[in-house]
Amino acid sequence: MQLSAPANQSTDPPARLNLILEGALSGLADAREREELRVTAHTLANAAWQRWQSGRPPQDNGQDHEWIVFAHVLKIAESEGLSLAEKRIAAAFAFVHDNYYIPRIMEEEIRECKRAGLHDKAAALSKQKTQQRIEHMQRGAVNAGSLLRELMRSGHPASPLFTADEISRCVELVSGHDLWKTNPPAPPPTADRLAVSCVEADALWPLHPSGVLADLQRLAAGGKRVDLTDPLVWRRQLQQSLDTLIEFRPHWVEKAAIAETDFIDRESIFRTNAGQGLFREWRTFWSL
């Protein structure tokens, strides 16, 4: 199901989201890259906000998700030494990757079933989760390609916002960005540093305060009693997100042939220094 903005929603992103965007750009060392990416990012952010994010309900995700992912991916891309073209694709990915809503099955639901000894139910939920994620990525990739081609046609013919190859690469990234959480998992190969950067930027979202709040609001929207003011509720949700970023690593090694030497630390899924650094910073921030 694709969500579009209600008629009474603003067509421009809130000022707080523009501040996140500008803060992310300030981390780029090259002034020319910064200015070119500023035009690209604001054009993408405005278009995605109008098309999808402004009407996003709490069952889906926080409205600032894409902006936080943009900040993460620029920091990782800069640390990885990615080219300007790769950073442009990463920016596009950040703003268009989660445009197709699915009623998510969360990892904690599967864990609860396993703890209760309901292994058949856990397996069924895992299978359903994989099917949902694949639909989310496939339909989202179609929507992303449509919007990016519209933006390409609306720009100056001599200087399009994106080339056809850049759009194709972005669509490819959208179509696989959640495969690391499927069963069996299929994370991008370590050598594909652009894809790894995009996956890690997205994976860090649940540790951001806005990400924690979005997860709790999703639970509340689904009918669960959730006290958003209770620190213990926040900590339990954070622990679930932390577990996901750790528990999948052995699956990657066993089922996706990712070498242990590809990871930065001894327990998490992160394979970039900046991604693992952000992971470590959030763990310190939350005392996890």
Side-chain angles (χ1 to χ4, degrees):
M1 153 178 164
Q2 182 178 348
L3 300 171
S4 57
N8 63 346
Q9 290 284 350
S10 168
T11 58
D12 296 321
R16 62 183 174 82
L17 299 183
N18 287 328
L19 288 174
I20 295 172
L21 189 154
E22 288 295 330
L25 290 168
S26 69
L28 298 177
D30 188 291
R32 184 181 67 85
E33 285 193 355
R34 191 161 56 244
E35 288 310 308
E36 181 163 339
L37 282 169
R38 175 172 285 113
V39 173
T40 302
H42 277 290
T43 302
L44 283 163
N46 291 344
W49 176 262
Q50 293 168 21
R51 182 70 61 90
W52 300 306
Q53 283 92 346
S54 64
R56 176 177 281 164
Q59 296 95 326
D60 187 3
N61 215 340
Q63 288 184 326
D64 52 352
H65 170 66
E66 284 75 10
W67 281 258
I68 300 300
V69 173
F70 173 72
H72 288 160
V73 82
L74 271 201
K75 185 167 186 176
I76 297 171
E78 181 80 345
S79 175
E80 287 291 303
L82 298 188
S83 67
L84 175 58
E86 289 172 317
K87 289 173 183 172
R88 285 159 46 77
I89 296 168
F93 168 85
F95 287 108
V96 304
H97 73 283
D98 268 354
N99 66 73
Y100 187 81
Y101 168 69
I102 55 169
R104 288 171 175 81
I105 293 173
M106 307 302 289
E107 290 301 322
E108 47 261 46
E109 297 178 62
I110 299 172
R111 292 187 189 110
E112 287 173 7
C113 288
K114 289 179 179 178
R115 284 194 293 268
L118 303 173
H119 298 291
D120 288 345
K121 184 176 181 180
L125 283 174
S126 180
K127 181 178 179 180
Q128 186 180 355
K129 185 197 76 169
T130 292
Q131 293 169 341
Q132 285 181 341
R133 291 288 175 176
I134 290 173
E135 180 185 5
H136 164 69
M137 290 182 287
Q138 290 178 343
R139 298 292 291 272
V142 172
N143 293 339
S146 176
L147 179 61
L148 293 174
R149 284 189 291 271
E150 285 180 28
L151 293 175
M152 182 175 70
R153 289 193 296 269
S154 66
H156 193 284
S159 181
L161 191 66
F162 295 102
T163 67
D165 286 345
E166 288 171 339
I167 292 174
S168 178
R169 179 66 163 131
C170 182
V171 168
E172 176 190 24
L173 293 171
V174 174
S175 70
H177 72 277
D178 276 342
L179 285 174
W180 69 272
K181 291 183 283 189
T182 57
N183 185 21
T190 302
D192 189 345
R193 302 310 278 179
L194 172 57
V196 172
S197 297
C198 290
V199 164
E200 293 190 2
D202 189 32
L204 285 160
W205 159 253
L207 299 182
H208 189 282
S210 294
V212 186
L213 179 61
D215 281 338
L216 293 175
Q217 289 176 327
R218 184 184 297 117
L219 292 173
K224 290 194 175 183
R225 298 186 61 159
V226 179
D227 183 357
L228 298 179
T229 67
D230 186 347
L232 291 178
V233 171
W234 279 65
R235 188 163 187 83
R236 282 195 295 269
Q237 184 57 47
L238 278 158
Q239 188 62 54
Q240 292 286 352
S241 298
L242 176 64
D243 289 347
T244 297
L245 297 173
I246 291 174
E247 287 179 2
F248 271 91
R249 173 161 161 173
H251 302 319
W252 287 18
V253 173
E254 177 186 355
K255 298 179 180 179
I258 303 295
E260 284 286 359
T261 53
D262 289 350
F263 299 101
I264 302 301
D265 60 30
R266 295 183 178 181
E267 61 176 351
S268 77
I269 65 168
F270 293 96
R271 291 174 285 168
T272 70
N273 285 305
Q276 198 275 339
L278 287 165
F279 172 69
R280 186 175 61 250
E281 287 173 15
W282 282 123
R283 291 193 70 171
T284 301
F285 178 81
W286 295 113
S287 299
L288 287 173

